[in-house]
Amino acid sequence: QRNRPVNDGQVAFLGDSEQGWRSVDTGENGSFDIELPGGTWDVRVLPHSSSTSDWSGEGAQQVLHLPETGESAWETLDLRVERRTDWGKVVGRVLMPNGSSDWGDYASEVFVEVHDSESVADWVEIDANGSFEFKLDPGSYQVKVGAGSVLGYASPEPRVANVSEGFTYDLGDIRLLERSATIDGNLVDEDGNGLPNFFVYAVNG
Protein backbone atom coordinates (compact mmCIF):
# COMPACT_ATOMS: atom_id res chain seq x y z
CA GLN A 1 0.00 0.00 0.00
CA ARG A 2 3.08 2.28 0.17
CA ASN A 3 4.36 1.32 -3.30
CA ARG A 4 7.35 -0.52 -1.87
CA PRO A 5 8.27 -3.72 -3.73
CA VAL A 6 7.71 -7.09 -2.06
CA ASN A 7 10.70 -9.33 -2.74
CA ASP A 8 9.95 -12.06 -0.19
CA GLY A 9 6.64 -13.21 -1.63
CA GLN A 10 5.20 -16.06 -3.62
CA VAL A 11 2.35 -15.55 -6.07
CA ALA A 12 0.08 -18.60 -6.23
CA PHE A 13 -2.38 -19.31 -9.05
CA LEU A 14 -5.18 -21.75 -8.19
CA GLY A 15 -7.18 -23.20 -11.07
CA ASP A 16 -9.90 -25.80 -11.25
CA SER A 17 -9.39 -29.50 -10.54
CA GLU A 18 -7.87 -30.11 -14.00
CA GLN A 19 -5.59 -27.06 -13.99
CA GLY A 20 -4.24 -27.55 -10.48
CA TRP A 21 -2.08 -24.73 -9.17
CA ARG A 22 1.13 -22.92 -10.07
CA SER A 23 3.37 -20.52 -8.17
CA VAL A 24 6.21 -18.10 -8.81
CA ASP A 25 8.51 -16.11 -6.52
CA THR A 26 8.71 -12.33 -6.64
CA GLY A 27 12.00 -10.74 -7.69
CA GLU A 28 14.00 -7.98 -6.01
CA ASN A 29 11.71 -5.30 -7.43
CA GLY A 30 8.54 -7.28 -6.69
CA SER A 31 8.09 -8.41 -10.30
CA PHE A 32 7.10 -11.88 -11.49
CA ASP A 33 6.02 -13.61 -14.67
CA ILE A 34 4.53 -17.02 -15.38
CA GLU A 35 2.93 -18.87 -18.29
CA LEU A 36 -0.56 -20.25 -17.67
CA PRO A 37 -3.12 -22.11 -19.75
CA GLY A 38 -6.45 -20.44 -20.46
CA GLY A 39 -9.21 -20.42 -17.88
CA THR A 40 -10.03 -18.81 -14.56
CA TRP A 41 -7.35 -18.52 -11.88
CA ASP A 42 -7.60 -17.44 -8.26
CA VAL A 43 -4.47 -15.34 -7.58
CA ARG A 44 -3.06 -15.06 -4.07
CA VAL A 45 0.10 -13.61 -2.54
CA LEU A 46 1.84 -15.49 0.27
CA PRO A 47 5.06 -14.95 2.22
CA HIS A 48 7.82 -17.49 1.73
CA SER A 49 7.71 -20.24 4.33
CA SER A 50 11.15 -19.18 5.55
CA SER A 51 10.28 -15.47 5.50
CA THR A 52 9.73 -13.30 8.58
CA SER A 53 7.64 -10.89 6.54
CA ASP A 54 5.88 -7.85 7.98
CA TRP A 55 2.98 -7.91 5.51
CA SER A 56 -0.27 -9.70 4.80
CA GLY A 57 -1.45 -10.69 1.32
CA GLU A 58 -5.10 -11.26 2.26
CA GLY A 59 -6.25 -8.07 0.52
CA ALA A 60 -4.27 -8.77 -2.68
CA GLN A 61 -6.39 -11.71 -3.84
CA GLN A 62 -7.71 -11.40 -7.40
CA VAL A 63 -9.46 -13.53 -10.02
CA LEU A 64 -7.73 -13.77 -13.41
CA HIS A 65 -9.65 -14.74 -16.55
CA LEU A 66 -7.54 -15.92 -19.49
CA PRO A 67 -9.02 -16.76 -22.92
CA GLU A 68 -9.40 -20.45 -23.71
CA THR A 69 -9.37 -20.01 -27.50
CA GLY A 70 -5.73 -20.98 -27.85
CA GLU A 71 -4.67 -17.41 -28.58
CA SER A 72 -1.90 -16.04 -26.41
CA ALA A 73 -2.74 -13.16 -24.09
CA TRP A 74 -0.64 -10.94 -21.84
CA GLU A 75 -2.10 -9.75 -18.57
CA THR A 76 -0.50 -7.41 -16.03
CA LEU A 77 -1.49 -7.75 -12.39
CA ASP A 78 -1.08 -5.03 -9.76
CA LEU A 79 -1.08 -6.88 -6.45
CA ARG A 80 -0.91 -4.79 -3.29
CA VAL A 81 -0.20 -6.27 0.10
CA GLU A 82 -0.80 -4.62 3.45
CA ARG A 83 2.34 -3.82 5.42
CA ARG A 84 1.91 -4.23 9.15
CA THR A 85 2.70 -1.10 11.13
CA ASP A 86 1.89 -2.35 14.61
CA TRP A 87 3.39 -5.82 14.62
CA GLY A 88 5.27 -7.52 17.42
CA LYS A 89 7.69 -10.42 17.36
CA VAL A 90 7.71 -13.99 18.61
CA VAL A 91 11.16 -15.58 18.89
CA GLY A 92 12.53 -18.78 20.32
CA ARG A 93 14.88 -21.70 19.80
CA VAL A 94 14.19 -25.39 19.18
CA LEU A 95 16.44 -27.96 20.82
CA MET A 96 17.00 -31.65 20.19
CA PRO A 97 15.98 -34.04 23.02
CA ASN A 98 19.61 -34.10 24.18
CA GLY A 99 19.67 -30.29 24.50
CA SER A 100 21.72 -29.59 21.37
CA SER A 101 20.77 -26.72 19.05
CA ASP A 102 23.19 -27.67 16.28
CA TRP A 103 20.68 -28.74 13.63
CA GLY A 104 22.86 -28.19 10.57
CA ASP A 105 21.28 -29.69 7.44
CA TYR A 106 18.42 -31.15 9.48
CA ALA A 107 16.99 -27.69 10.20
CA SER A 108 14.72 -28.01 7.18
CA GLU A 109 13.02 -30.98 8.92
CA VAL A 110 11.84 -28.83 11.84
CA PHE A 111 9.04 -26.27 11.56
CA VAL A 112 7.21 -23.91 13.89
CA GLU A 113 3.55 -22.96 13.43
CA VAL A 114 1.52 -20.13 14.96
CA HIS A 115 -2.28 -20.22 15.16
CA ASP A 116 -4.47 -17.27 16.06
CA SER A 117 -8.01 -17.33 17.43
CA GLU A 118 -9.37 -17.98 13.92
CA SER A 119 -7.00 -20.94 13.42
CA VAL A 120 -5.17 -19.10 10.63
CA ALA A 121 -1.66 -20.53 10.63
CA ASP A 122 1.71 -19.13 9.64
CA TRP A 123 4.85 -21.21 9.78
CA VAL A 124 8.62 -21.05 9.36
CA GLU A 125 11.51 -23.47 9.31
CA ILE A 126 14.14 -23.07 12.00
CA ASP A 127 17.65 -21.79 11.36
CA ALA A 128 20.68 -24.08 11.58
CA ASN A 129 21.11 -23.06 15.24
CA GLY A 130 17.46 -23.81 16.04
CA SER A 131 16.26 -20.21 16.26
CA PHE A 132 13.05 -18.87 14.69
CA GLU A 133 11.19 -15.57 14.46
CA PHE A 134 7.69 -14.42 13.53
CA LYS A 135 6.43 -10.89 12.89
CA LEU A 136 2.77 -10.82 13.88
CA ASP A 137 -0.13 -8.52 14.57
CA PRO A 138 -0.84 -8.00 18.28
CA GLY A 139 -2.87 -10.80 19.83
CA SER A 140 -2.67 -14.21 21.45
CA TYR A 141 -1.18 -17.09 19.45
CA GLN A 142 -0.66 -20.80 19.98
CA VAL A 143 2.82 -21.93 18.94
CA LYS A 144 3.45 -25.52 17.86
CA VAL A 145 6.75 -27.20 16.94
CA GLY A 146 6.92 -30.22 14.67
CA ALA A 147 9.59 -32.36 13.04
CA GLY A 148 9.78 -34.60 10.00
CA SER A 149 9.42 -38.33 10.60
CA VAL A 150 13.01 -38.91 9.49
CA LEU A 151 14.21 -37.43 12.82
CA GLY A 152 12.09 -39.66 15.02
CA TYR A 153 11.25 -36.82 17.43
CA ALA A 154 7.87 -36.03 18.97
CA SER A 155 6.32 -32.59 19.47
CA PRO A 156 6.07 -31.00 22.93
CA GLU A 157 2.88 -29.35 24.19
CA PRO A 158 1.98 -26.12 22.33
CA ARG A 159 2.87 -22.82 23.97
CA VAL A 160 0.96 -19.56 24.12
CA ALA A 161 2.55 -16.28 23.01
CA ASN A 162 0.88 -12.93 23.76
CA VAL A 163 2.12 -10.44 21.17
CA SER A 164 2.11 -6.71 21.89
CA GLU A 165 2.75 -3.84 19.51
CA GLY A 166 6.45 -3.13 19.11
CA PHE A 167 7.55 -5.77 21.64
CA THR A 168 9.27 -9.15 21.36
CA TYR A 169 7.83 -12.23 23.05
CA ASP A 170 10.61 -14.73 23.73
CA LEU A 171 9.47 -18.33 24.07
CA GLY A 172 12.96 -19.39 25.09
CA ASP A 173 14.15 -22.93 24.41
CA ILE A 174 11.63 -25.52 23.23
CA ARG A 175 12.92 -29.08 23.46
CA LEU A 176 11.59 -31.81 21.19
CA LEU A 177 10.83 -35.22 22.72
CA GLU A 178 12.18 -38.68 22.06
CA ARG A 179 9.69 -41.18 20.68
CA SER A 180 9.89 -43.96 23.24
CA ALA A 181 6.48 -45.65 23.03
CA THR A 182 5.65 -48.43 20.57
CA ILE A 183 2.31 -49.60 19.22
CA ASP A 184 2.26 -52.97 17.48
CA GLY A 185 -0.34 -55.52 16.53
CA ASN A 186 -1.47 -58.02 13.96
CA LEU A 187 -4.24 -57.50 11.40
CA VAL A 188 -6.21 -60.66 10.61
CA ASP A 189 -9.54 -61.64 9.10
CA GLU A 190 -12.31 -63.50 10.95
CA ASP A 191 -10.56 -66.81 10.30
CA GLY A 192 -7.28 -65.61 11.78
CA ASN A 193 -5.46 -65.25 8.46
CA GLY A 194 -2.98 -62.37 8.25
CA LEU A 195 -3.98 -59.40 6.06
CA PRO A 196 -0.99 -57.87 4.26
CA ASN A 197 -0.69 -54.52 2.45
CA PHE A 198 -3.05 -52.53 4.68
CA PHE A 199 -2.06 -49.05 5.80
CA VAL A 200 -2.07 -48.52 9.58
CA TYR A 201 -1.76 -45.07 11.08
CA ALA A 202 -2.02 -43.48 14.53
CA VAL A 203 -3.49 -40.06 15.29
CA ASN A 204 -3.26 -38.31 18.65
CA GLY A 205 -5.76 -35.82 20.08
Side-chain angles (χ1 to χ4, degrees):
Q1 79 274 26
R2 301 186 183 94
N3 290 318
R4 294 189 305 199
V6 174
N7 59 10
D8 58 348
Q10 182 183 61
V11 184
F13 299 83
L14 288 76
D16 59 26
S17 58
E18 294 182 358
Q19 294 170 321
W21 69 279
R22 318 285 175 87
S23 67
V24 60
D25 295 339
T26 58
E28 287 298 320
N29 61 353
S31 64
F32 61 91
D33 65 81
I34 188 172
E35 292 184 1
L36 299 170
T40 300
W41 297 85
D42 182 7
V43 185
R44 304 182 184 185
V45 184
L46 309 169
H48 283 304
S49 60
S50 59
S51 168
T52 55
S53 60
D54 63 344
W55 54 269
S56 169
E58 292 181 6
Q61 184 172 342
Q62 294 187 19
V63 177
L64 175 64
H65 299 283
L66 295 177
E68 300 185 38
T69 59
E71 298 178 1
S72 60
W74 181 270
E75 296 286 344
T76 300
L77 297 178
D78 183 13
L79 304 176
R80 293 181 180 269
V81 303
E82 185 77 17
R83 294 253 181 213
R84 298 186 177 105
T85 58
D86 55 355
W87 49 262
K89 286 184 181 181
V90 173
V91 300
R93 187 174 64 157
V94 180
L95 304 180
M96 299 178 190
N98 62 6
S100 172
S101 62
D102 184 15
W103 289 97
D105 294 337
Y106 289 104
S108 60
E109 296 290 336
V110 182
F111 57 90
V112 185
E113 295 179 338
V114 291
H115 300 258
D116 63 17
S117 59
E118 299 178 352
S119 296
V120 177
D122 193 8
W123 68 280
V124 296
E125 294 177 354
I126 63 171
D127 293 334
N129 63 357
S131 62
F132 63 88
E133 175 183 308
F134 290 95
K135 292 181 180 178
L136 300 165
D137 290 323
S140 181
Y141 296 85
Q142 190 177 62
V143 182
K144 301 179 180 180
V145 179
S149 59
V150 66
L151 297 178
Y153 298 152
S155 301
E157 289 294 319
R159 298 194 183 186
V160 175
N162 296 307
V163 181
S164 301
E165 178 181 345
F167 290 90
T168 298
Y169 192 99
D170 191 350
L171 289 168
D173 291 338
I174 303 175
R175 185 176 298 200
L176 292 174
L177 308 176
E178 290 278 8
R179 287 181 176 170
S180 57
T182 301
I183 301 174
D184 57 27
N186 190 31
L187 183 63
V188 299
D189 63 15
E190 58 186 7
D191 297 324
N193 300 313
L195 298 176
N197 303 321
F198 277 79
F199 180 67
V200 181
Y201 61 95
V203 181
N204 62 17

